[in-house]
Amino acid sequence: MAILPAAPASARSQLFWRRGRRGITALLSLAVTLLGLLLFTFMLSHLSPIDPVLQLAGEHASASTYAQIRQQLGADQPLPLQFWHYLRQLLSGNLGVSAITGQPVAADLLRTFPATFELATCAMLVGTFGGIALALLAAWKPGSLQDNLVRFISLLGYSVPVFWLGLLGLLLFYAGLHWSAGPGRLDDIYTWTMEPVTGMVLIDSWLSGDRQMFFNALAHLWLPVAILGLLSMATITRLLRAALLEESNKEYVTLAQAKGASRGRILLLHIFPNVRGTLITVLALSYTSLLEGSVLTETVFAWPGVGRYMTTALFAADTPAILGSTLLIGCCFIVINALSDGLTWLADPRTR
């Protein structure tokens, strides 16, 4: 067996320089995007019709009180200086104080985000396995009965309103069949006895050693996970099926068919590995949509996550809570997309 010679030092240095330059470019792009998000949230607070000074002082305060509060908030300073103070507060972890709870917004988000993360992650697992399986089933025999059935399921999951599906699920599985434990994360008997460790009820109930509490948490969780998982599965199925069918028209597929390879072997061993980059991008987009789009599901199922917290803040005109939630979801969106770009670069050599 012939041994290939090692690459010259100059070629290795050029390769290292190209990869390093790509990494630096990606980090700079991530930093600029985060800065743009911070600028957006800052301008959103100033473009809002809600005056924070009036909200704190009330409608019957004197002019001197208004001026004093405006000076304390720094609202009388130029916008660039206000933005600089805003960045300093964010770096110190200060997102303001919620007018609803009276607690720091950062503490509220630390309490509510694990619930959203748990719900979105479980739904993502359901959507990923179901979406990949249905997309492979549809691409195995395009135009067949199973392909049309998969397309109908994906269209149904993509077009049905999630709040209507949630209400229908509660009516059927909670009020009718009693298969679900209903809204919330736990029954009241367990809510005040569980000691929060991670904020994710499945993990905390398992760590507590109380198996009845764990199964109660699972009984509350499966229905909203199934509904969000159906939405995610529909998106993944539709996009992955299109990518698989597009890849099926390539010349190497025709060559494999001419050599006598079966359709299943070609699909699993030749076509599917070549759509890994597309699959990673689709999964990232689906996951971010679950994190930011679970507002209606959390409201219907009384799930104490960021979506329900943001909805309550919107109805109460709680500006710090709204901006803090927007900033958190935006950061999650940016970071997940940056990770998906990196994973796509590692998984697909054609992108290097």
Side-chain angles (χ1 to χ4, degrees):
M1 180 178 179
I3 300 177
L4 296 177
S10 59
R12 289 199 302 267
S13 62
Q14 290 178 3
L15 180 62
F16 177 78
W17 168 249
R18 285 199 300 268
R19 292 183 176 180
R21 184 174 58 183
R22 181 181 176 88
I24 293 174
T25 303
L27 289 177
L28 288 177
S29 176
L30 180 62
V32 171
T33 307
L34 287 173
L35 184 62
L37 175 64
L38 296 177
L39 183 61
F40 171 76
T41 55
F42 173 76
M43 294 306 299
L44 187 65
S45 63
H46 283 73
L47 294 175
S48 173
I50 303 171
D51 188 0
V53 179
L54 182 63
Q55 194 175 20
L56 290 175
E59 299 180 355
H60 304 289
S62 61
S64 59
T65 304
Y66 284 129
Q68 182 180 2
I69 295 177
R70 187 174 295 275
Q71 184 179 5
Q72 291 176 354
L73 295 178
D76 57 342
Q77 298 176 352
L79 283 179
L81 191 58
Q82 291 185 43
F83 183 62
W84 170 248
H85 291 317
Y86 176 68
L87 292 179
R88 291 180 58 185
Q89 290 180 356
L90 290 180
L91 291 176
S92 63
N94 183 14
L95 297 176
V97 178
S98 172
I100 302 174
T101 63
Q103 301 293 326
V105 174
D108 289 341
L109 293 178
L110 286 175
R111 187 189 73 252
T112 57
F113 181 73
T116 298
F117 178 78
E118 181 181 36
L119 181 62
T121 303
C122 293
M124 188 64 201
L125 291 176
V126 173
T128 299
F129 289 108
I132 293 176
L134 289 179
L136 290 174
L137 185 63
W140 184 31
K141 292 183 178 179
S144 63
L145 177 62
Q146 63 191 34
D147 182 24
N148 293 328
L149 182 61
V150 168
R151 293 171 62 186
F152 174 76
I153 294 174
S154 62
L155 180 62
L156 185 67
Y158 194 76
S159 58
V160 173
V162 66
F163 69 91
W164 181 83
L165 202 59
L167 293 174
L168 186 63
L170 284 175
L171 178 63
L172 178 62
F173 296 106
Y174 171 57
L177 299 175
H178 304 289
W179 291 358
S180 172
R185 304 178 76 188
L186 282 172
D187 288 346
D188 293 338
I189 191 175
Y190 299 115
T191 302
W192 308 108
T193 58
M194 186 184 68
E195 182 178 356
V197 179
T198 63
M200 290 176 281
V201 68
L202 281 183
I203 298 178
D204 292 344
S205 59
W206 181 267
L207 292 177
S208 67
D210 190 344
R211 294 298 172 260
Q212 290 184 351
M213 183 188 300
F214 174 78
F215 287 115
N216 183 258
L218 199 61
H220 280 273
L221 181 64
W222 78 264
L223 184 56
V225 163
I227 290 173
L228 281 179
L230 177 62
L231 178 64
S232 176
M233 184 177 65
T235 304
I236 294 171
T237 301
R238 185 171 59 89
L239 296 178
L240 183 58
R241 174 188 174 275
L244 290 171
L245 292 180
E246 181 181 359
E247 195 71 19
S248 298
N249 297 322
K250 300 294 180 65
E251 293 181 356
Y252 72 90
V253 177
T254 306
L255 179 61
Q257 291 174 345
K259 289 183 177 181
S262 63
R263 176 63 181 174
R265 181 181 179 85
I266 294 174
L267 185 63
L268 293 177
L269 300 182
H270 297 278
I271 298 177
F272 186 71
N274 286 332
V275 298
R276 287 177 299 183
T278 303
L279 178 60
I280 292 173
T281 304
V282 170
L283 293 181
L285 292 175
S286 180
Y287 191 43
T288 52
S289 66
L290 289 177
L291 285 175
E292 67 181 358
S294 59
V295 176
L296 294 176
T297 305
E298 290 182 359
T299 303
V300 170
F301 287 93
W303 198 263
V306 177
R308 190 182 178 201
Y309 177 74
M310 186 186 298
T311 304
T312 307
L314 285 170
F315 281 112
D318 190 354
T319 304
I322 297 171
L323 295 180
S325 303
T326 304
L327 187 62
L328 175 63
I329 298 300
C331 288
C332 291
F333 189 90
I334 293 172
V335 172
I336 291 174
N337 278 278
L339 289 176
S340 71
D341 290 341
L343 291 175
T344 302
W345 184 80
L346 292 175
D348 193 351
R350 295 173 296 182
T351 61
R352 301 174 192 171

